[in-house]
């Protein structure tokens, strides 16, 4: 597992270096513009970019054919992909919470720290974990198409609901009346469930894959 | 000890190896109880299959030229030179009897026969 | 005595192509040349051995154990080299070494690896993107031989490389096989190299294993003759394995035991056997 992640890091060393520089520039710009609250949002994009890069590098070198016969379980190879998403999500959550606790920026939303952490974990992983099983099943190209289609469905769904303002208002009312701790727990629960299901699906797909 | 593999030879490779080791033992180049190279090492050096060298050693062992000790390797077996000579003499005797029979049938004289042996001998020497 | 490879009724369907059923036993301590045309099923077999593909039917045992039950620890006993390295191109040799050190843990042998790298004269800080095909294969071989594996599988690894590199590889395989617990299984359609060192030749044609025999027996079994059409007529049909007719006669590969002993036959090479057998099948 460590070996596999090491391989990923050195395989992408140049791209990662570039990514870090870009993130710093964007971060710097954001802070200068006084929009500190936008900083954690970068962590929603990073896992997606990472997964995309890892996938591209793997596909180019056909590395699966090398690591599957090696001393790895297929499950571990899948786990090494998810691990990157989870690590970035946790860093994002810690970053967002510390921003909230130490930055004392008025622009930050008035939310308790655990809600911020839960939201970060959810937002940073959700897209990746929907995408990963699709990528394992259909390959990166088709998965992207399916994902775009999925995006439109979700978009259509929300614009339909958006038309129904009373429904939204009532949902928001209900949510606000709930204890924020319960909301936090619910978000964490949904996140864990999504990640778990996604991981199990990916493992099952990858276990049957032939190279 | 030198071993030459001739791909052009009609003899299979195992036989070439066997004969050359046998000769080395008979002419004293390899001494009694001397350790022979391992089957795998010989195969590696000559670049032939392990099965080939194994077969050469198996046949040498069958003919009593070497003996193998499990885990230690193959050694040159003590050769009873007198016995060996006797065996060769017997072989020569049988063959000459045969030759004489044919010579009689072909009506060859004694001198002609001797001449033939000399010619063949010199030809053989050239081939070597 | 445990066999290195055992295949029982192995079958795999890929579209129109069917591999097998293949039954094959490779004893320990030998080099096996697995030969056949391109598309005969060599790579498919090796992928099945390595669990990159799954058989439709049959059983695969490596070093006495069913491949389905292989744990990561057991997989360290198997080494493999493909026609390409299949590692990310931006890695350097040092990166690759660190990767394998972490991957193989205790089993990794730094010294063996360093010796092989020195022997091949491979640069350690250049990324493998800049390696030639020969260098990639040498690195692959060095990696394969540096974790104490007992079974080495080579899939077209030396195809298309220059004769000097191929010759080096032969030496290395012969070194490896000095340990009688080590076994090498080489698939190739280039045969002149194999001819020197292989103990057994397994021949696969259109997914079917035609034979697996010791090379010595194989070479003694057949002979080649140049004949006239009339001479060919007189021969037992069963004796003819394959023929190449031309304007001035015909060249045939014959089974030695089925032709008169005074018949003059030339030695065959493995390549001859392969070519004549495939031509014989076509008629």
């Amino acid at each position: 597992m460590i070996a596999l992640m090491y391989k990923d890091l050195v395989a992408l060393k140049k791209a990662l270096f570039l990514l870090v520089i870009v993130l710093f520039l964007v971060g710097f710009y954001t802070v200068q513009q006084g929009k500190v609250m936008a900083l954690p949002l970068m962590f929603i994009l990073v896992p997606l970019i990472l997964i995309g890069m890892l996938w591209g590098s793997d596909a180019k070198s056909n590395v699966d054919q090398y690591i599957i016969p090696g001393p790895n379980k297929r499950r571990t190879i899948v786990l090494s992909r998810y691990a990157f998403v989870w690590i970035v999500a946790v860093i994002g959550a810690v970053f967002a919470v510390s921003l909230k606790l130490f930055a004392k920026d008025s622009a930050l939303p008035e939310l308790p720290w655990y809600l911020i952490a839960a939201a970060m974990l959810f937002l940073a992983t959700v897209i990746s974990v929907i995408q990963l099983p699709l990528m394992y099943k259909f390959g990166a190209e088709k998965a992207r198409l399916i994902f775009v289609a999925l995006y439109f469905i979700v978009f259509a769904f929300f614009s339909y609901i958006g038309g129904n303002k009373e429904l939204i208002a009532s949902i928001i009312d209900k949510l606000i009346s709930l204890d924020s701790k319960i909301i936090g727990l619910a978000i964490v629960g949904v996140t864990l469930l999504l990640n778990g299901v996604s991981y199990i699906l990916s493992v099952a797909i990858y276990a049957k894959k032939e190279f | 000890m030198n071993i030459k593999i001739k791909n052009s030879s009609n003899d299979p490779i195992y036989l070439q190896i066997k004969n050359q080791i046998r000769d080395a033992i008979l002419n004293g180049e390899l001494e009694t109880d001397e350790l022979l190279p391992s089957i795998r090492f010989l195969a590696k050096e000559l670049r032939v299959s392990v099965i080939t060298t194994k077969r050469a050693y198996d046949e040498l062992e069958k003919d009593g030229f070497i003996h193998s000790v499990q885990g230690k390797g193959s050694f040159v077996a003590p050769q009873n030179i007198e016995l060996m000579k006797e065996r060769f003499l017997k072989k020569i005797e049988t063959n000459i009897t045969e030759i004489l029979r044919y010579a009689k049938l072909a009506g060859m004289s004694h001198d002609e026969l001797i001449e033939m042996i000399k010619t063949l001998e010199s030809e053989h020497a050239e081939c070597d | 005595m445990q066999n290195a490879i055992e295949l029982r009724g192995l079958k795999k369907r890929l579209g129109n192509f069917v591999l097998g059923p293949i039954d094959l036993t490779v004893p320990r301590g030998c080099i096996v040349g697995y030969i056949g045309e391109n598309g005969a099923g060599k790579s498919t077999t090796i992928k099945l051995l390595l669990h990159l593909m799954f058989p439709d039917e049959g059983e695969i045992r490596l070093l006495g154990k069913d491949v389905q039950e292989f744990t990561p620890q057991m997989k360290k006993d198997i080494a493999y080299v493909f026609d390409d390295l299949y590692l990310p191109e931006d890695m350097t040799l040092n990166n690759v070494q660190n990767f394998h050190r972490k991957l193989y843990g205790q089993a990794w042998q730094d010294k063996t690896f360093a010796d092989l790298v020195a022997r091949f004269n491979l640069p350690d800080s250049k990324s493998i993107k800049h390696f030639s095909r020969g260098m990639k294969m040498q690195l692959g071989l060095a990696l394969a031989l540096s974790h104490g594996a007992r079974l080495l599988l080579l899939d077209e690894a030396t195809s298309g490389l220059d004769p000097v590199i191929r010759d080096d590889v032969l030496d290395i395989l012969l070194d490896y096989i000095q340990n009688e617990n080590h076994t090498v299984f080489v698939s190739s359609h280039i045969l002149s190299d194999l001819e020197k060192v292989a103990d057994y030749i397994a021949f696969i044609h259109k997914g079917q294993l035609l034979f697996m025999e010791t090379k010595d027996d194989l070479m003694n079994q057949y002979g080649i003759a140049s004949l006239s059409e009339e001479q060919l007529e007189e021969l037992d049909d069963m004796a003819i394995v394959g023929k190449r007719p031309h304007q001035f006669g015909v060249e045939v590969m014959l089974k030695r035991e089925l032709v008169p002993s005074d018949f003059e036959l030339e030695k065959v090479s493995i390549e001859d056997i392969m070519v004549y057998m495939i031509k014989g099948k076509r008629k």
Side-chain angles (χ1 to χ4, degrees), chain B residues 41-103:
Chain B
F41 182 71
L42 190 62
K44 173 178 138 94
E45 293 301 305
L46 296 176
R47 285 209 168 172
V48 298
S49 133
V50 175
I51 288 178
T52 307
T53 51
K54 184 166 184 329
R55 183 157 176 200
Y57 275 34
D58 283 351
E59 301 234 334
L60 283 167
E61 182 154 19
K62 209 173 68 192
D63 292 352
F65 289 104
I66 63 172
H67 63 91
S68 301
V69 184
Q70 188 71 40
K72 285 196 175 158
S74 301
F75 299 89
V76 177
Q79 301 298 317
N80 189 333
I81 304 290
E82 285 306 309
L83 195 81
M84 198 77 76
K85 257 189 197 161
E86 220 168 89
R87 223 187 282 159
F88 287 151
L89 279 179
K90 210 163 216 163
K91 250 187 191 166
I92 295 171
E93 221 177 270
T94 346
N95 282 321
I96 289 184
T97 317
E98 185 103 323
I99 290 168
L100 287 175
R101 205 161 58 84
Y102 280 117

Side-chain angles (χ1 to χ4, degrees), chain A residues 24-191:
Chain A
F24 264 105
L25 289 177
V26 172
F28 185 72
Y29 178 76
T30 319
V31 173
Q32 217 181 23
Q33 295 292 307
K35 291 178 180 145
V36 183
M37 71 162 279
L39 273 180
L41 294 179
M42 293 196 306
F43 286 90
I44 299 169
L45 276 177
V46 171
L48 266 183
I49 297 169
L50 254 181
I51 291 294
M53 290 196 307
L54 290 171
W55 210 275
S57 153
D58 280 4
K60 197 174 163 203
S61 60
N62 217 339
V63 77
D64 294 276
Q65 193 168 330
Y66 191 81
I67 53 180
I68 289 173
N72 305 295
K73 284 185 178 159
R74 286 192 179 222
R75 197 194 313 148
T76 317
I77 297 171
V78 175
L79 187 63
S80 74
R81 282 284 155 282
Y82 279 80
F84 277 106
V85 176
W86 294 336
I87 288 169
V88 175
V90 169
I91 294 174
V94 170
F95 181 75
V97 169
S98 35
L99 212 62
K100 156 82 185 163
L101 294 181
F102 303 113
K104 308 259 183 238
D105 193 305
S106 55
L108 283 173
E110 278 306 312
L111 290 172
W113 68 270
Y114 46 83
L115 217 51
I116 292 179
M120 265 316 285
L121 287 179
F122 176 79
L123 291 173
T125 57
V126 63
I127 306 177
S128 301
V129 300
I130 291 173
Q131 211 172 8
L132 272 166
L134 291 172
M135 286 169 105
Y136 276 117
K137 182 76 188 173
F138 303 105
E141 285 296 311
K142 274 191 204 159
R144 225 164 272 147
L145 286 178
I146 293 170
F147 199 75
V148 171
L150 218 64
Y151 178 80
F152 276 111
I153 292 170
V154 173
F155 186 74
F157 174 72
F158 274 107
S159 58
Y160 165 74
I161 293 190
N164 203 335
K165 280 191 181 126
E166 280 158 36
L167 186 70
I168 292 199
S170 71
I171 289 175
I172 288 177
D173 274 348
K174 250 184 208 154
L175 282 179
I176 287 171
S177 65
L178 279 174
D179 188 350
S180 64
K181 278 181 186 151
I182 292 173
I183 297 175
L185 267 178
I187 294 175
V188 170
V190 170
T191 309

